[in-house]
Every structure is written in C-alpha cells, then in structure tokens.
Amino acid sequence: MVYLDYSATTPCRKEVLESLVAVTNEKIGNPNSLHRLGVEAKQLEGQATKQIADILGCKSSEVIYTSGATEANNMAIKGVAFAYKNRGKHIITTNLEHSSIYGPLGYLQKLGFTVDVVSTNAYGIVDLEDLKHLIREDTILVTIASVNSETGLSQPILEIANLLNAYPKCFFHVDMTQSVGKIRIPIDHIDLISFSAHKFYGMKGIGCLIKKESISLEPLLHGGKSTTVYRSGTPALPLIVSISKALRLAEEELDCNYNCVQNYSNILIEKLKEYPNVVINHNAFCIPHILNISVMHTKPETLLHALEKHDIYISTQSACSSGTKISRSVLEFSKEEAVASHSVRISLSGHMGIEEIQEFLQQFDICYHELEFDRNGR
Ligand code: PMP
C-alpha cells in the first residue's frame, strides 16, 4: 500500500497510542475530582497542557481542548461573533478556507452577519492592500488559514498579523490545521488558533483552540468548568496527554521531516511535469507536504479509483469537500476553472520511504496512459 493522503489524516503513531492506553488504564480519576486520583489526573493534565503551551509559545490558560479543528474553528468564529455582536457583525475571510470555516460563516450570515472575501494575487497570496481596504469600523474578525489544505499554499500570517495589530477591535483567527507539526509560525500576534492532532500522527477526536486570555468567547457547549470554562465536559485526559505527546514528537522531528518531504516533493514535481496533460498546482509559497496536480484528460475521481486498484491512495479536493465538482481553493490558486475541476491532492509525510514515491510514479504512469487511451478510444 502507498498512502498519500496524510493531509486528510495520519495514522496514530505507536508511542502516542501507548501513552493513550497507559493513561486510560492508570489515571482513572476525573481531573476535577477533589480526591487523590483526581489530583493526580489534574497534575498530568497540567503537565500535558504546559508542554503544548511551551511548544506553541502561549500560556497554559490559553489552551482550550476540542474534538478537533472543526470544533475549534466553529468555537472561534461563532464564539467571537456571539460575544462581540454588539461591537460589529462584519467578518473577513478568503477563498482558501476549509469547509469548517465556511460552515459557521454561512450560519452567521443567516443570522445577519456580513462576510467579505479578501482577494489574492496571481500566486494565491492574500492581497494586504485589499485586506486593509475591507476592514471597517464593525469588523470583529479576520479568519485565514495558514496553509490551504488542498494546495499547500501558505499565507504570510506574520505580515497579516502585523497589519491587523493596527485594528485592536478586530481579532485574527488562524486555522493552523495544515501547518502545526509541519512548519513553525510564531503565534504571538495571533488571537485565536485552531488545529487537530490527527494531522500530525495523533489521535482522531482531539484538537485545540488557542485563545488569547483577553478575548471573550461565547461557548458552544454550556455546562460546568472542564479544563476551561469555554467547553464543558469531563476532561478527556488520555486524549489530552496523547495530543501533547504527538505535538512534542512532531516538533522534535519537524526539520528532518520537512527536508525529507521537500526531497519527495521535488522528485514528484520533476517527474510529473513531463506529462503533457498534467498541470502542477504548486508554487514557491506552497509547503512541500501537499502537492496538487490537475490531470486534464480525466475526472479526479476516475484517477483516484484507478490508483486505488493499485493500492495507492490519494484524494480529490480535501476529504471534507470531496462531493463538490469544482475546487474553490484550486480555482483561487490557478484562476482557471478547467484546472480547478480536474485537481487531485497527493499529500506526503516524512515517515514515508522513497520507495513509496517510486511506486506511486510507476503506477501513476500506468493509470495516466490507460485513462488517456480510454478517453481517446471512446
Ligand atoms: N481545517 C483544515 C485546514 C483541515 O484540513 C481540516 C481537516 N481536513 C479541518 C480544518 C478539520 O479538522 P478536523 O477533522 O479535526 O475536524
């Protein structure tokens, strides 16, 4: 098997799973219980949270655990919107976001909020002048992903954060789901950050929203205090320890994995650009972990299933929006509808071997010619 869908999800690594099992078996107390077992669990929760905070460069009190990035994005967007609706009802985003950003934004539009989309330049990078132009007296939030999940295109988050510093009434939320554990982005000037453990070899079902202490947030779930007051429910200690461990390991291996993935990406691009019907949707601003290509003579799902027969797994768009025909992200990147409706995503990991890249290229060659023959034969 050659798995090339690491941006959809990664397997959980052995060490992470082992700590999850150990904490499940050995730390049975509720961290909010007053007895010794509760106190021990609370200590472990505190250590795990401190480790996350130290790695990211925030305070422990700014870490809110969620079920994943979808919940974190919903919590950030709806939470800010509901808490600050009297200040304003205007939000700015891009055409390069995940469905878990567009979902809550669409919901808020029904409730009377206005959403503007900032334009991008020829490379797909946010136009800072346009962003400045769009900010109004009633703008309460700008939400922009650090890395687009379909193309790997990364945005100049620091420059955007610096620009937004001049507008203290407007918060900046960054969906960092595709960058945490892959590239480092200083978060000092960002108000809210979302991410999910299953993108960096952690467990599915746990993620974080990092929220600056000074920001109010209307919770999505009301109830008692959990690890914070923003999301009620018994703290999921095994998952909390597991995300902390997965993040630490990803951080330790980040540079090595980056170099490895860069090498794989270069090899793939060099080979794939030899095919006349392949368009490489990649530029210098894309991270190497994601390679988007359009194979112009075949439907994305036809190519996906053809490769699947050879035990090779890639994806069409992102797993969460694969029902739609045209990729909004690739359209924003390429500005060409034909390219955007033929795109597939190959996503890589530093844990893969070079032989998997070679196997993919070999099978891709077979599928490419078979599908070309099918089309011309008809
Ligand atoms: N944001 C981005 C950029 C993503 O790639 C994903 C996962 N595809 C999500 C949010 C949602 O993450 P989760 O599956 O943890 O809800």
Side-chain angles (χ1 to χ4, degrees):
M1 175 177 89
V2 180
Y3 183 74
L4 294 169
D5 202 10
Y6 290 97
S7 290
T9 195
T10 59
C12 180
R13 56 195 292 173
K14 194 168 142 276
E15 307 93 305
V16 171
L17 198 54
E18 278 166 4
S19 61
L20 179 107
V21 172
V23 175
T24 304
N25 287 333
E26 292 159 26
K27 301 285 175 194
I28 61 161
N30 181 329
N32 292 334
S33 292
L34 295 181
H35 50 66
R36 184 175 56 82
L37 299 183
V39 171
E40 278 174 23
K42 189 85 189 163
Q43 270 169 359
L44 190 55
E45 178 198 298
Q47 284 163 14
T49 306
K50 184 172 184 316
Q51 180 165 275
I52 293 173
D54 288 348
I55 292 170
L56 297 175
C58 65
K59 298 180 190 161
S60 286
S61 54
E62 295 175 332
V63 178
I64 305 168
Y65 294 106
T66 64
S67 60
T70 297
E71 187 186 330
N73 286 339
N74 270 266
M75 190 187 276
I77 293 171
K78 291 188 224 164
V80 164
F82 294 146
Y84 292 92
K85 61 181 186 302
N86 293 334
R87 185 190 277 182
K89 290 189 166 186
H90 181 235
I91 300 174
I92 301 171
T93 190
T94 76
N95 267 328
L96 290 155
E97 305 302 312
H98 187 259
S99 52
S100 57
I101 298 290
Y102 297 132
L105 289 179
Y107 171 71
L108 289 175
Q109 279 175 304
K110 286 193 212 145
L111 300 181
F113 287 78
T114 307
V115 177
D116 273 322
V117 174
V118 62
S119 50
T120 58
N121 67 17
Y123 299 99
I125 301 297
V126 165
D127 178 343
L128 296 183
E129 279 310 307
D130 189 46
L131 178 58
K132 227 194 284 186
H133 174 75
L134 287 176
I135 298 171
R136 319 189 308 208
E137 195 45 41
D138 63 341
T139 308
I140 51 170
L141 185 68
V142 172
T143 175
I144 297 178
S146 50
V147 170
N148 172 252
S149 58
E150 284 179 56
T151 59
L153 184 66
S154 60
Q155 294 297 336
I157 293 301
L158 276 187
E159 283 176 56
I160 298 171
N162 286 339
L163 185 156
L164 293 176
N165 262 348
Y167 304 88
K169 286 184 181 169
C170 169
F171 299 125
F172 186 27
H173 167 243
V174 181
D175 177 359
M176 288 206 180
T177 310
Q178 292 292 350
S179 61
V180 168
K182 298 190 177 86
I183 56 170
R184 291 189 189 95
I185 299 174
I187 66 164
D188 325 20
H189 298 297
I190 306 173
D191 298 304
L192 302 127
I193 289 148
S194 311
F195 61 91
S196 204
H198 72 97
K199 305 288 185 184
F200 48 86
Y201 288 83
M203 288 292 295
K204 292 155 185 63
I206 180 87
C208 291
L209 177 68
I210 310 295
K211 179 193 76 65
K212 281 251 147 54
E213 253 174 351
S214 55
I215 300 171
S216 304
L217 202 68
E218 184 61 35
L220 300 178
L221 304 180
H222 296 91
K225 183 172 184 274
S226 175
T227 58
T228 64
V229 295
Y230 301 103
R231 205 247 196 189
S232 294
T234 301
L237 187 61
L239 287 171
I240 289 171
V241 171
S242 76
I243 188 173
S244 178
K245 184 152 188 180
L247 184 64
R248 176 174 65 76
L249 295 172
E251 175 61 28
E252 282 169 10
E253 295 169 358
L254 190 145
D255 297 314
C256 176
N257 282 341
Y258 187 94
N259 293 337
C260 178
V261 165
Q262 180 75 72
N263 180 36
Y264 296 160
S265 173
N266 291 345
I267 294 170
L268 286 172
I269 292 172
E270 275 313 299
K271 289 281 176 205
L272 293 173
K273 75 180 185 197
E274 289 170 8
Y275 294 86
N277 280 335
V278 171
V279 177
I280 312 266
N281 304 313
H282 200 80
N283 65 29
F285 301 101
C286 295
I287 62 167
H289 308 69
I290 298 177
L291 179 60
N292 194 293
I293 62 169
S294 297
V295 182
M296 304 305 282
H297 66 251
T298 186
K299 284 190 192 150
E301 56 274 27
T302 309
L303 177 63
L304 179 146
H305 291 306
L307 285 165
E308 185 182 27
K309 288 196 183 123
H310 299 266
D311 217 11
I312 302 216
Y313 302 91
I314 61 164
S315 77
T316 59
Q317 303 188 24
S318 79
C320 307
S321 55
S322 47
T324 48
K325 284 258 176 308
I326 187 156
S327 160
R328 185 172 174 173
S329 300
V330 181
L331 184 61
E332 188 68 14
F333 179 91
S334 66
K335 327 278 188 212
E336 282 186 51
E337 282 199 15
V339 170
S341 57
H342 286 87
S343 67
V344 293
R345 177 183 69 181
I346 301 158
S347 48
L348 308 170
S349 157
H351 292 248
M352 296 172 55
I354 184 77
E355 62 292 345
E356 293 177 86
I357 300 294
Q358 284 154 353
E359 171 73 6
F360 165 76
L361 286 169
Q362 213 176 340
Q363 302 304 339
F364 177 84
D365 188 68
I366 295 170
C367 293
Y368 178 92
H369 290 112
E370 274 174 6
L371 294 168
E372 191 177 43
F373 179 79
D374 280 358
R375 200 183 75 142
N376 294 338
R378 248 180 245 141

